[in-house]
Amino acid sequence: VGWFITLYLIVVATFEAIVLPWMLQMLIPGLRGTVLYSLFGSEVTLDAVLIGAAGVVLITFLNYRGVRLAVSFQSIITYGFLAVVIVLLAAASATGEAENLQPLFGSMDASPWWFGAAWIFANTAFFLNGFQSVPQAIEECSPDVSARTIARVMVGSVLIAGLFYCAAILCSSMATRWTELAGTPLATAAAMKDILSNGILSKVVLLAAAFSLLKTWNAIVLMASRLIMAQARQGLLPSRLGAIHPTHATPGVAVLFVGAVSLGGMLLGRGAILPLVNMASICLAFTFVLACFALMRLRKQHQGAAPGFSVPGGTATLVIAAVASFVMSAIALFEPLFRGAGPVPLEWLLILIWGAAGAVFFGAQRKSPQY
């Protein structure tokens, strides 16, 4: 479970490294450089590689040098992003029209509307998963922060994220008819384009999105490095990956490992974005299933109450969560086949490669003298 959640986190870091140059290319059209190669139906340009690599180096440096530096960067970017987004959504809703939301349920092709809704449901685990950054940094929190406060922050972050996505979709669709936005690569930016005659709000959206990528990226690297450190401590990965830097007090080797793998993934280019999102969704949803069954087992072992956990609704809640998570993972797993991604989709290959790498790491650790 830990190894595949690590894959999800590194996939998101790779996603950010690929999308950041794309955002900047749309913001500054003249930025597009020499085409280096084509992969998965998309061209990879020199500027995209350089910008993505610079982002990897920046985020890796922040997390390598110390958690305080990384958290300060995170706070500045987060509060600035929220302020800009609130203004943009207010402008879109104030100038938009409710008629643009029609039809409420529709399709841009021959497929039924619920097919797209099912795909969104399958990717919900990916979109709303920021809450995991809270427990994975728990060793570095203030001693005054209680476990109850941490739990409330996790639940609250999921609710706020859900409201944010709903507000963004609703306001964008009011500003510009959703049937016109469905075919655009960055729908929110396209929706804001005509609110002001010079299209300045569209550029503001792209700039805010670029900063938001850095915000998410920074949190993801913090999470991934701590999770790798925890696995190394438990003897599941080489002990070197759990080493703490003597000066910066960070899991330095784990941070560098995350940076190196995400740098390699970035070279796949923009054509790999959809497979990467699907792969992250498969990993997350399936680990949710395993987590639910693990908690059921703990409750059974301890006569219905696992130590340190309480579940509103008891076992029934866990069963519902496990079934819903299983449906998420199944849709995400087989969606590439419906999309025509070939007999063996890229996301399946990458998951198999990552699983094999984990087996090699675990085997090497089992044979080491320290095990």
Side-chain angles (χ1 to χ4, degrees), residues 11 14 58 74 103 105 115 117-118 141 150 153 167 170 190 211 229:
V11 162
T14 301
L58 171 64
Q74 188 77 6
F105 298 96
F115 187 82
C141 74
I150 291 172
V153 169
L170 184 65
F211 278 106
M229 176 186 70

Side-chain angles (χ1 to χ4, degrees), residues 76-356:
I76 293 169
I77 296 295
T78 298
Y79 291 125
F81 171 77
L82 287 175
V84 171
V85 165
I86 289 171
V87 172
L88 290 172
L89 294 182
S93 61
T95 59
E97 299 178 3
E99 300 169 351
N100 290 337
L101 300 175
Q102 301 296 330
L104 293 178
F105 298 96
S107 176
M108 297 301 294
D109 51 33
S111 60
W113 68 265
W114 55 263
F115 187 82
W119 185 82
I120 291 295
F121 175 72
N123 286 281
T124 298
F126 172 76
F127 292 133
L128 303 182
N129 199 54
F131 71 91
Q132 283 210 20
S133 62
V134 178
Q136 289 177 14
I138 199 167
E139 281 191 18
E140 293 151 293
C141 74
S142 167
D144 299 327
V145 178
S146 67
R148 183 177 294 275
T149 298
I150 291 172
R152 286 174 175 170
V153 169
M154 290 171 65
V155 174
S157 68
V158 175
L159 295 175
I160 292 171
L163 289 172
F164 168 78
Y165 281 115
C166 290
I169 293 168
L170 184 65
C171 294
S172 298
S173 299
M174 288 177 64
T176 302
R177 192 174 295 276
W178 73 262
T179 51
E180 298 176 21
L181 296 177
T184 59
L186 294 169
T188 306
M192 302 291 174
K193 186 176 181 180
D194 297 327
I195 292 179
L196 295 179
S197 57
N198 55 7
I200 189 65
L201 285 186
S202 178
K203 295 185 181 296
V204 172
V205 169
L206 291 172
L207 190 60
F211 278 106
S212 178
L213 289 175
L214 293 175
K215 166 180 64 66
T216 305
W217 197 348
N218 183 56
I220 287 295
V221 171
L222 187 146
M223 293 165 64
S225 57
R226 271 62 178 178
L227 186 55
I228 289 172
M229 176 186 70
Q231 292 172 88
R233 285 178 176 176
Q234 294 297 317
L236 302 174
L237 295 176
S239 58
R240 180 66 179 153
L241 288 170
I244 301 298
H245 195 283
T247 303
H248 306 309
T250 59
V253 178
V255 170
L256 294 176
F257 175 80
V258 174
V261 177
S262 57
L263 185 62
M266 178 205 68
L267 299 177
L268 295 174
R270 198 186 304 172
I273 286 179
L274 186 57
L276 288 174
V277 170
N278 279 342
M279 182 168 63
S281 299
I282 293 168
C283 293
L284 269 182
F286 188 60
T287 55
F288 288 173
V289 177
L290 294 178
C292 289
F293 279 108
L295 193 49
M296 288 181 200
R297 185 181 178 204
L298 282 173
R299 287 169 61 84
K300 185 176 180 181
Q301 289 176 338
H302 295 273
Q303 288 78 45
F309 292 93
S310 63
V311 181
T315 302
T317 300
L318 290 173
V319 170
I320 293 169
V323 171
S325 300
F326 178 79
V327 173
M328 280 183 182
S329 60
I331 294 172
L333 181 65
F334 293 107
E335 190 275 337
L337 296 179
F338 296 114
R339 194 177 70 243
V344 184
L346 175 63
E347 40 267 68
W348 292 14
L349 289 173
L350 293 175
I351 286 175
L352 288 173
I353 291 170
W354 185 258

